[in-house]
Amino acid sequence: VESKVGESATLECILDGVKYAQHKSVGWDTSTSTVLSGDRFNMETGSPGGEAEKSFQLVISPVESGDHGSYTCDVGFEGAKITGTVILDLEGIWSDTPSNVYVTTNELSLTCEYYVTTALHVIWYVEESQVVRLV
């Protein structure tokens, strides 16, 4: 699922089949915590394909920069559990925003991280002259 900071994102897990109609529990987790309904997170259940299909949704609104990553949907049944994973990609998120750096030495190391789902071109400049280009 792709979204932007400030917008809403709907992560969805769909189970197809009559045996899935009687679930006992539904939960959403990230790699670091359990997601609870409230404030920006809302859990919804529906039947878009009739009784034989169940849809479990996690709506995040508004999306924040730290929301990107994997979300796991756990659906519990009598004696069984089904797990699905949805990845939330955010359009253009800097995890370490680059800034101007002024130095008085012969060596310098610069780093930046950027999370994006499409191709990214990174170009480093020194005094308006290109020094590195990553494609």
Side-chain angles (χ1 to χ4, degrees):
V1 174
E2 205 169 295
S3 187
K4 294 180 181 179
V5 171
E7 295 183 351
S8 67
T10 300
L11 312 181
E12 185 171 44
C13 181
I14 297 176
L15 301 178
D16 190 8
V18 176
K19 63 182 178 180
Y20 302 131
Q22 298 301 318
H23 68 281
K24 301 290 182 191
S25 64
V26 177
W28 287 88
D29 300 299
T30 67
S31 59
T32 59
S33 65
T34 298
V35 178
L36 302 174
S37 273
D39 292 339
R40 299 182 312 107
F41 298 93
N42 186 31
M43 294 180 210
E44 300 175 359
T45 303
S47 298
E51 287 298 315
E53 187 175 275
K54 285 286 185 184
S55 168
F56 305 98
Q57 299 175 341
L58 175 63
V59 179
I60 305 170
S61 183
V63 170
E64 294 180 356
S65 61
D67 293 335
H68 70 90
S70 293
Y71 288 76
T72 302
C73 176
D74 294 315
V75 182
F77 302 94
E78 190 78 35
K81 179 170 89 170
I82 294 178
T83 299
T85 300
V86 180
I87 296 175
L88 176 60
D89 287 324
L90 299 183
E91 190 176 290
I93 297 298
W94 286 103
S95 68
D96 186 9
T97 306
S99 60
N100 290 334
V101 177
Y102 301 94
V103 296
T104 58
T105 182
N106 291 335
E107 289 186 33
L108 173 65
S109 175
L110 301 173
T111 61
C112 71
E113 289 184 27
Y114 192 78
Y115 298 98
V116 66
T117 58
T118 58
L120 175 68
H121 302 276
V122 176
I123 302 172
W124 289 95
Y125 292 90
V126 172
E127 295 180 4
E128 299 182 14
S129 295
Q130 179 179 324
V131 291
V132 177
R133 181 179 181 157
L134 306 172
V135 179

mmCIF file of all heavy atoms in Angstrom, residues 54-84:
data_model
loop_
_atom_site.group_PDB
_atom_site.id
_atom_site.type_symbol
_atom_site.label_atom_id
_atom_site.label_comp_id
_atom_site.label_asym_id
_atom_site.label_seq_id
_atom_site.Cartn_x
_atom_site.Cartn_y
_atom_site.Cartn_z
ATOM 1 N N LYS A 54 -14.276 -12.384 4.023
ATOM 2 C CA LYS A 54 -14.130 -11.419 5.116
ATOM 3 C C LYS A 54 -12.971 -10.492 4.819
ATOM 4 O O LYS A 54 -11.918 -10.913 4.356
ATOM 5 C CB LYS A 54 -13.863 -12.127 6.451
ATOM 6 C CG LYS A 54 -15.073 -12.789 7.046
ATOM 7 C CD LYS A 54 -16.017 -11.778 7.626
ATOM 8 C CE LYS A 54 -17.164 -12.475 8.331
ATOM 9 N NZ LYS A 54 -18.154 -11.562 8.821
ATOM 10 N N SER A 55 -13.178 -9.223 5.102
ATOM 11 C CA SER A 55 -12.147 -8.205 4.909
ATOM 12 C C SER A 55 -11.825 -7.592 6.262
ATOM 13 O O SER A 55 -12.722 -7.139 6.974
ATOM 14 C CB SER A 55 -12.669 -7.130 3.947
ATOM 15 O OG SER A 55 -11.827 -6.015 3.956
ATOM 16 N N PHE A 56 -10.538 -7.579 6.606
ATOM 17 C CA PHE A 56 -10.078 -6.983 7.850
ATOM 18 C C PHE A 56 -9.187 -5.807 7.478
ATOM 19 O O PHE A 56 -8.190 -5.979 6.781
ATOM 20 C CB PHE A 56 -9.332 -8.010 8.704
ATOM 21 C CG PHE A 56 -10.160 -9.230 8.970
ATOM 22 C CD1 PHE A 56 -9.999 -10.368 8.204
ATOM 23 C CD2 PHE A 56 -11.114 -9.219 9.972
ATOM 24 C CE1 PHE A 56 -10.777 -11.495 8.444
ATOM 25 C CE2 PHE A 56 -11.903 -10.346 10.225
ATOM 26 C CZ PHE A 56 -11.727 -11.483 9.447
ATOM 27 N N GLN A 57 -9.572 -4.611 7.904
ATOM 28 C CA GLN A 57 -8.857 -3.403 7.498
ATOM 29 C C GLN A 57 -8.284 -2.669 8.700
ATOM 30 O O GLN A 57 -8.889 -2.653 9.772
ATOM 31 C CB GLN A 57 -9.798 -2.458 6.746
ATOM 32 C CG GLN A 57 -10.373 -3.060 5.492
ATOM 33 C CD GLN A 57 -11.396 -2.149 4.848
ATOM 34 O OE1 GLN A 57 -11.937 -1.248 5.481
ATOM 35 N NE2 GLN A 57 -11.675 -2.393 3.583
ATOM 36 N N LEU A 58 -7.125 -2.058 8.457
ATOM 37 C CA LEU A 58 -6.531 -1.137 9.416
ATOM 38 C C LEU A 58 -6.429 0.201 8.694
ATOM 39 O O LEU A 58 -5.726 0.325 7.695
ATOM 40 C CB LEU A 58 -5.151 -1.611 9.861
ATOM 41 C CG LEU A 58 -4.394 -0.655 10.781
ATOM 42 C CD1 LEU A 58 -5.143 -0.477 12.107
ATOM 43 C CD2 LEU A 58 -2.983 -1.159 11.029
ATOM 44 N N VAL A 59 -7.173 1.191 9.181
ATOM 45 C CA VAL A 59 -7.159 2.522 8.585
ATOM 46 C C VAL A 59 -6.290 3.424 9.455
ATOM 47 O O VAL A 59 -6.519 3.536 10.659
ATOM 48 C CB VAL A 59 -8.589 3.104 8.460
ATOM 49 C CG1 VAL A 59 -8.551 4.491 7.852
ATOM 50 C CG2 VAL A 59 -9.472 2.171 7.649
ATOM 51 N N ILE A 60 -5.289 4.044 8.832
ATOM 52 C CA ILE A 60 -4.382 4.954 9.541
ATOM 53 C C ILE A 60 -4.644 6.355 9.012
ATOM 54 O O ILE A 60 -4.513 6.603 7.815
ATOM 55 C CB ILE A 60 -2.907 4.584 9.299
ATOM 56 C CG1 ILE A 60 -2.666 3.127 9.682
ATOM 57 C CG2 ILE A 60 -1.987 5.512 10.085
ATOM 58 C CD1 ILE A 60 -1.300 2.605 9.265
ATOM 59 N N SER A 61 -5.047 7.267 9.889
ATOM 60 C CA SER A 61 -5.351 8.626 9.452
ATOM 61 C C SER A 61 -5.159 9.618 10.598
ATOM 62 O O SER A 61 -5.767 9.461 11.646
ATOM 63 C CB SER A 61 -6.789 8.703 8.950
ATOM 64 O OG SER A 61 -7.072 9.988 8.461
ATOM 65 N N PRO A 62 -4.315 10.593 10.405
ATOM 66 C CA PRO A 62 -3.443 10.787 9.253
ATOM 67 C C PRO A 62 -2.167 9.953 9.395
ATOM 68 O O PRO A 62 -1.719 9.638 10.503
ATOM 69 C CB PRO A 62 -3.115 12.273 9.306
ATOM 70 C CG PRO A 62 -3.146 12.611 10.763
ATOM 71 C CD PRO A 62 -4.225 11.726 11.346
ATOM 72 N N VAL A 63 -1.575 9.605 8.250
ATOM 73 C CA VAL A 63 -0.325 8.851 8.227
ATOM 74 C C VAL A 63 0.811 9.772 8.670
ATOM 75 O O VAL A 63 0.875 10.930 8.268
ATOM 76 C CB VAL A 63 -0.054 8.304 6.814
ATOM 77 C CG1 VAL A 63 1.342 7.731 6.700
ATOM 78 C CG2 VAL A 63 -1.104 7.263 6.435
ATOM 79 N N GLU A 64 1.699 9.228 9.514
ATOM 80 C CA GLU A 64 2.893 9.963 9.948
ATOM 81 C C GLU A 64 4.131 9.273 9.388
ATOM 82 O O GLU A 64 4.075 8.092 9.017
ATOM 83 C CB GLU A 64 2.946 10.014 11.478
ATOM 84 C CG GLU A 64 1.815 10.816 12.078
ATOM 85 C CD GLU A 64 1.851 10.865 13.603
ATOM 86 O OE1 GLU A 64 2.720 10.206 14.210
ATOM 87 O OE2 GLU A 64 0.992 11.553 14.177
ATOM 88 N N SER A 65 5.247 9.967 9.345
ATOM 89 C CA SER A 65 6.459 9.429 8.723
ATOM 90 C C SER A 65 6.929 8.124 9.361
ATOM 91 O O SER A 65 7.461 7.256 8.685
ATOM 92 C CB SER A 65 7.582 10.456 8.739
ATOM 93 O OG SER A 65 7.905 10.813 10.063
ATOM 94 N N GLY A 66 6.717 7.941 10.645
ATOM 95 C CA GLY A 66 7.137 6.718 11.323
ATOM 96 C C GLY A 66 6.228 5.520 11.081
ATOM 97 O O GLY A 66 6.501 4.420 11.554
ATOM 98 N N ASP A 67 5.154 5.701 10.326
ATOM 99 C CA ASP A 67 4.194 4.619 10.089
ATOM 100 C C ASP A 67 4.623 3.655 8.992
ATOM 101 O O ASP A 67 4.003 2.609 8.815
ATOM 102 C CB ASP A 67 2.812 5.185 9.736
ATOM 103 C CG ASP A 67 2.167 5.926 10.896
ATOM 104 O OD1 ASP A 67 2.501 5.632 12.055
ATOM 105 O OD2 ASP A 67 1.329 6.812 10.627
ATOM 106 N N HIS A 68 5.658 3.997 8.221
ATOM 107 C CA HIS A 68 6.047 3.125 7.114
ATOM 108 C C HIS A 68 6.582 1.797 7.640
ATOM 109 O O HIS A 68 7.076 1.700 8.762
ATOM 110 C CB HIS A 68 7.101 3.802 6.234
ATOM 111 C CG HIS A 68 8.440 3.942 6.890
ATOM 112 N ND1 HIS A 68 9.396 2.974 6.794
ATOM 113 C CD2 HIS A 68 8.967 4.907 7.665
ATOM 114 C CE1 HIS A 68 10.464 3.349 7.478
ATOM 115 N NE2 HIS A 68 10.222 4.528 8.023
ATOM 116 N N GLY A 69 6.428 0.731 6.836
ATOM 117 C CA GLY A 69 6.946 -0.575 7.221
ATOM 118 C C GLY A 69 5.909 -1.674 7.101
ATOM 119 O O GLY A 69 4.847 -1.499 6.508
ATOM 120 N N SER A 70 6.226 -2.825 7.687
ATOM 121 C CA SER A 70 5.372 -4.018 7.612
ATOM 122 C C SER A 70 4.320 -4.033 8.715
ATOM 123 O O SER A 70 4.617 -3.722 9.867
ATOM 124 C CB SER A 70 6.217 -5.288 7.758
ATOM 125 O OG SER A 70 7.057 -5.451 6.660
ATOM 126 N N TYR A 71 3.112 -4.429 8.335
ATOM 127 C CA TYR A 71 2.014 -4.625 9.271
ATOM 128 C C TYR A 71 1.510 -6.052 9.087
ATOM 129 O O TYR A 71 1.332 -6.510 7.962
ATOM 130 C CB TYR A 71 0.869 -3.632 9.009
ATOM 131 C CG TYR A 71 1.203 -2.219 9.402
ATOM 132 C CD1 TYR A 71 2.033 -1.431 8.612
ATOM 133 C CD2 TYR A 71 0.709 -1.681 10.583
ATOM 134 C CE1 TYR A 71 2.351 -0.130 8.985
ATOM 135 C CE2 TYR A 71 1.020 -0.384 10.964
ATOM 136 C CZ TYR A 71 1.847 0.386 10.155
ATOM 137 O OH TYR A 71 2.165 1.669 10.526
ATOM 138 N N THR A 72 1.302 -6.749 10.196
ATOM 139 C CA THR A 72 0.840 -8.129 10.146
ATOM 140 C C THR A 72 -0.574 -8.210 10.691
ATOM 141 O O THR A 72 -0.866 -7.677 11.760
ATOM 142 C CB THR A 72 1.764 -9.039 10.987
ATOM 143 O OG1 THR A 72 3.092 -8.916 10.482
ATOM 144 C CG2 THR A 72 1.328 -10.485 10.905
ATOM 145 N N CYS A 73 -1.443 -8.865 9.932
ATOM 146 C CA CYS A 73 -2.825 -9.101 10.341
ATOM 147 C C CYS A 73 -2.927 -10.547 10.817
ATOM 148 O O CYS A 73 -2.610 -11.476 10.068
ATOM 149 C CB CYS A 73 -3.762 -8.859 9.158
ATOM 150 S SG CYS A 73 -5.493 -9.233 9.509
ATOM 151 N N ASP A 74 -3.342 -10.733 12.066
ATOM 152 C CA ASP A 74 -3.532 -12.072 12.625
ATOM 153 C C ASP A 74 -5.019 -12.295 12.845
ATOM 154 O O ASP A 74 -5.652 -11.560 13.604
ATOM 155 C CB ASP A 74 -2.811 -12.209 13.972
ATOM 156 C CG ASP A 74 -1.306 -12.118 13.826
ATOM 157 O OD1 ASP A 74 -0.767 -12.759 12.913
ATOM 158 O OD2 ASP A 74 -0.671 -11.404 14.627
ATOM 159 N N VAL A 75 -5.566 -13.323 12.179
ATOM 160 C CA VAL A 75 -6.983 -13.667 12.332
ATOM 161 C C VAL A 75 -7.049 -15.024 13.027
ATOM 162 O O VAL A 75 -6.535 -16.020 12.510
ATOM 163 C CB VAL A 75 -7.712 -13.704 10.969
ATOM 164 C CG1 VAL A 75 -9.186 -14.012 11.176
ATOM 165 C CG2 VAL A 75 -7.528 -12.393 10.225
ATOM 166 N N GLY A 76 -7.663 -15.035 14.219
ATOM 167 C CA GLY A 76 -7.741 -16.262 15.006
ATOM 168 C C GLY A 76 -9.070 -16.963 14.845
ATOM 169 O O GLY A 76 -10.119 -16.335 14.754
ATOM 170 N N PHE A 77 -9.005 -18.288 14.792
ATOM 171 C CA PHE A 77 -10.182 -19.151 14.704
ATOM 172 C C PHE A 77 -10.108 -20.186 15.809
ATOM 173 O O PHE A 77 -9.123 -20.231 16.547
ATOM 174 C CB PHE A 77 -10.214 -19.854 13.335
ATOM 175 C CG PHE A 77 -10.236 -18.909 12.181
ATOM 176 C CD1 PHE A 77 -9.056 -18.536 11.558
ATOM 177 C CD2 PHE A 77 -11.419 -18.362 11.730
ATOM 178 C CE1 PHE A 77 -9.066 -17.648 10.502
ATOM 179 C CE2 PHE A 77 -11.435 -17.475 10.686
ATOM 180 C CZ PHE A 77 -10.254 -17.111 10.070
ATOM 181 N N GLU A 78 -11.087 -21.014 15.899
ATOM 182 C CA GLU A 78 -11.089 -22.103 16.870
ATOM 183 C C GLU A 78 -9.898 -23.015 16.579
ATOM 184 O O GLU A 78 -9.894 -23.764 15.625
ATOM 185 C CB GLU A 78 -12.399 -22.896 16.768
ATOM 186 C CG GLU A 78 -12.614 -23.890 17.871
ATOM 187 C CD GLU A 78 -13.083 -23.223 19.147
ATOM 188 O OE1 GLU A 78 -13.832 -22.246 19.066
ATOM 189 O OE2 GLU A 78 -12.691 -23.700 20.215
ATOM 190 N N GLY A 79 -8.826 -22.906 17.383
ATOM 191 C CA GLY A 79 -7.667 -23.765 17.244
ATOM 192 C C GLY A 79 -6.736 -23.446 16.087
ATOM 193 O O GLY A 79 -5.865 -24.241 15.762
ATOM 194 N N ALA A 80 -6.886 -22.301 15.428
ATOM 195 C CA ALA A 80 -6.019 -21.972 14.293
ATOM 196 C C ALA A 80 -5.842 -20.458 14.180
ATOM 197 O O ALA A 80 -6.601 -19.681 14.751
ATOM 198 C CB ALA A 80 -6.611 -22.516 13.005
ATOM 199 N N LYS A 81 -4.826 -20.081 13.427
ATOM 200 C CA LYS A 81 -4.573 -18.659 13.195
ATOM 201 C C LYS A 81 -4.053 -18.491 11.764
ATOM 202 O O LYS A 81 -3.240 -19.281 11.294
ATOM 203 C CB LYS A 81 -3.555 -18.133 14.195
ATOM 204 C CG LYS A 81 -3.204 -16.663 14.006
ATOM 205 C CD LYS A 81 -2.375 -16.121 15.167
ATOM 206 C CE LYS A 81 -0.916 -16.328 14.911
ATOM 207 N NZ LYS A 81 -0.051 -15.614 15.870
ATOM 208 N N ILE A 82 -4.519 -17.446 11.079
ATOM 209 C CA ILE A 82 -4.026 -17.116 9.743
ATOM 210 C C ILE A 82 -3.373 -15.741 9.836
ATOM 211 O O ILE A 82 -3.920 -14.820 10.435
ATOM 212 C CB ILE A 82 -5.165 -17.104 8.709
ATOM 213 C CG1 ILE A 82 -5.718 -18.526 8.548
ATOM 214 C CG2 ILE A 82 -4.675 -16.566 7.377
ATOM 215 C CD1 ILE A 82 -6.874 -18.627 7.602
ATOM 216 N N THR A 83 -2.195 -15.624 9.238
ATOM 217 C CA THR A 83 -1.425 -14.389 9.301
ATOM 218 C C THR A 83 -1.137 -13.891 7.893
ATOM 219 O O THR A 83 -0.778 -14.671 7.013
ATOM 220 C CB THR A 83 -0.093 -14.629 10.039
ATOM 221 O OG1 THR A 83 -0.389 -15.067 11.358
ATOM 222 C CG2 THR A 83 0.743 -13.376 10.106
ATOM 223 N N GLY A 84 -1.292 -12.587 7.688
ATOM 224 C CA GLY A 84 -0.953 -11.951 6.418
ATOM 225 C C GLY A 84 -0.165 -10.684 6.684
ATOM 226 O O GLY A 84 -0.302 -10.069 7.739
#
